[in-house]
């Protein structure tokens, strides 16, 4: 996080919450704090309810943290019947309404009926009138959550996705499997996927293909699946590829994907946000060992992009 800048004022906006400014003077009275530390009063949010409350997440107030850094306070309420893990994407906008950053926060294992209050540090905000709103909320059953910063799942396999690449309507996302446990993980073939909608219901009408060659041959011919052995700290990846062409029909967007890394293994739900257009096809590459060196300790793999060397194989 960049060094925090001194913010000039605390203000409110009609449509979104204004990030509180932190200066060397008290924001409410205009006087310097007795300790000489920057202070500013916590402000209640006002504005468009859709910007402040969405999918179980509510922005509560804003103020200054222990350092001169903007922050926002929010809470998450689980209305489901089982524990859920929530990932919230916020939008920080400057005085002109431009998005300047998209901080994320994951709140893990919120029990049914529980409300959890958290503070999100926003760091340096470019203007005193910056505004923060809820951008997107993704909620996954806790026993299928597989986020990087959390504990290693009982299976010893952590499933994540990277940010992907896009060019001329062609899309690609890396699906990553990390051995975060203490034993050896052996995989072979293709990950099995179930596409889910906004309410995590199965989507139909999309063909999931073994291999990506039917989508594009830009990366060369499809490599055949080979057995992959992962020791603790090692990882593998599989490429997801599609085209987001939109012609006749209704475009299909897939926020959630349930992944089965190998037959009989526990599933994990990831949120790659697939914009499949109207093509009705998604290509899936085979598991391939990631050649990037990783610490060989439990929880040592921190995610990231795979090493996409053509023709690389597992052990």
């Amino acid at each position: 996080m960049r060094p925090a800048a001194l913010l000039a004022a605390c203000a409110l906006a009609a449509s979104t919450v204004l990030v509180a400014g932190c200066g060397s003077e008290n924001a409410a009275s205009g006087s310097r704090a007795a300790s000489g530390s920057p202070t500013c009063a916590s402000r209640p949010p006002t504005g468009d309810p859709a910007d402040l409350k969405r999918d179980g997440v509510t922005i509560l107030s804003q103020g200054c943290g222990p350092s001169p850094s903007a922050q926002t306070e929010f809470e998450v309420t689980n209305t489901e019947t089982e524990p859920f893990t929530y990932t919230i994407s916020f939008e920080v906008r400057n005085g002109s309404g431009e998005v300047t950053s998209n901080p994320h926060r994951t709140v893990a294992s919120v029990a049914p009926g529980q409300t959890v209050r958290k503070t999100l540090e926003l760091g340096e905000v470019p203007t005193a009138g910056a505004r923060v709103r809820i951008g997107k909320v993704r909620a996954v059953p806790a026993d299928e959550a597989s986020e990087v910063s959390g504990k290693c799942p009982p299976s010893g396999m952590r499933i994540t996705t990277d940010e992907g690449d896009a060019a001329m309507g062609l899309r690609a996302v890396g699906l990553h499997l990390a051995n975060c446990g203490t034993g050896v993980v052996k995989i072979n073939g293709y990950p099995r996927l179930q596409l889910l909608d906004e309410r995590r219901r199965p989507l139909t009408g999309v063909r999931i293909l073994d291999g990506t060659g039917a989508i594009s041959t830009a990366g060369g011919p499809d490599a055949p699946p080979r057995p992959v052995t992962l020791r603790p700290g090692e990882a593998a990846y599989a490429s997801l590829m599609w085209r987001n062409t939109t012609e006749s029909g209704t475009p299909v967007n897939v926020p959630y994907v349930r992944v089965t890394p190998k037959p009989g293994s526990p599933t994990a739900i990831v949120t790659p946000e697939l914009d499949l257009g109207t093509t009705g096809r998604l290509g899936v590459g085979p598991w391939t060992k990631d050649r990037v060196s990783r610490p060989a300790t439990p929880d040592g793999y921190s995610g990231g992009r795979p090493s996409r060397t053509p023709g690389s194989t597992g052990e």
Side-chain angles (χ1 to χ4, degrees):
M1 187 176 294
R2 294 176 293 173
L6 296 181
L7 303 182
C10 295
L12 297 174
S15 62
T16 52
V17 183
L18 290 186
V19 175
C22 301
S24 59
E25 295 185 350
N26 186 286
S29 65
S31 62
R32 179 180 292 274
S35 64
S37 301
T39 62
C40 73
S42 177
R43 301 296 182 95
T46 61
D48 188 343
D51 292 332
L52 308 175
K53 185 173 183 178
R54 183 178 306 171
D55 300 326
V57 179
T58 304
I59 293 179
L60 299 173
S61 63
Q62 298 187 166
C64 287
S67 62
S69 174
Q71 63 178 209
T72 187
E73 188 177 23
F74 67 97
E75 68 180 17
V76 178
T77 300
N78 182 4
T79 60
E80 304 288 344
T81 58
E82 61 180 305
F84 265 69
T85 290
Y86 297 80
T87 299
I88 308 103
S89 172
F90 296 89
E91 292 182 355
V92 178
R93 297 174 178 262
N94 61 20
S96 300
E98 300 169 322
V99 177
T100 60
S101 65
N102 294 99
H104 292 70
R105 183 70 184 270
T106 296
V107 181
S109 300
V110 181
Q114 183 182 21
T115 296
V116 177
R117 183 172 295 190
K118 297 289 183 179
T119 298
L120 176 71
E121 298 291 340
L122 300 175
E124 182 181 359
V125 174
T127 63
R131 301 161 183 168
V132 62
R133 65 187 294 271
I134 300 169
K136 186 184 299 179
V137 179
R138 294 298 181 226
V140 174
D143 61 358
E144 290 186 282
S146 189
E147 43 111 9
V148 170
S149 61
K151 295 180 179 179
C152 184
S155 65
M157 294 181 288
R158 174 173 287 125
I159 307 293
T160 58
T161 56
D162 60 31
E163 295 180 358
D165 296 296
M168 300 295 290
L170 182 65
R171 303 285 192 267
V173 165
L175 180 68
H176 301 258
L177 184 157
N179 181 358
C180 58
T182 57
V184 172
V185 171
K186 294 184 178 182
I187 51 176
N188 191 6
Y190 302 88
R192 293 305 167 191
L193 309 182
Q194 183 183 39
L195 308 185
L196 308 174
D197 66 10
E198 289 271 354
R199 298 178 63 183
R200 298 175 301 279
R201 300 172 301 189
L203 278 164
T204 59
V206 176
R207 293 175 58 203
I208 299 177
L209 311 175
D210 286 346
T212 60
I215 306 298
S216 174
T217 58
D222 282 334
R226 290 184 171 89
V228 175
T229 298
L230 301 177
R231 296 177 178 83
E234 294 183 331
Y237 70 91
S239 295
L240 310 184
M241 189 175 293
W242 71 98
R243 293 187 182 276
N244 73 332
T245 306
T246 300
E247 296 177 350
S248 60
T250 302
V252 175
N253 295 306
V254 182
Y256 300 97
V257 175
R258 176 175 281 118
V259 182
T260 304
K262 63 178 183 177
S265 68
T267 59
I269 295 179
V270 294
T271 55
E273 308 290 343
L274 308 179
D275 56 340
L276 301 181
T278 57
T279 59
R281 299 192 304 171
L282 173 66
V284 182
W287 287 120
T288 302
K289 191 165 187 178
D290 190 342
R291 294 174 58 189
V292 176
S293 177
R294 305 291 180 186
T297 58
D299 286 345
Y301 181 70
S302 60
R305 294 182 180 273
S307 172
R308 299 174 186 263
T309 304
S312 61
T313 64
E315 291 185 351

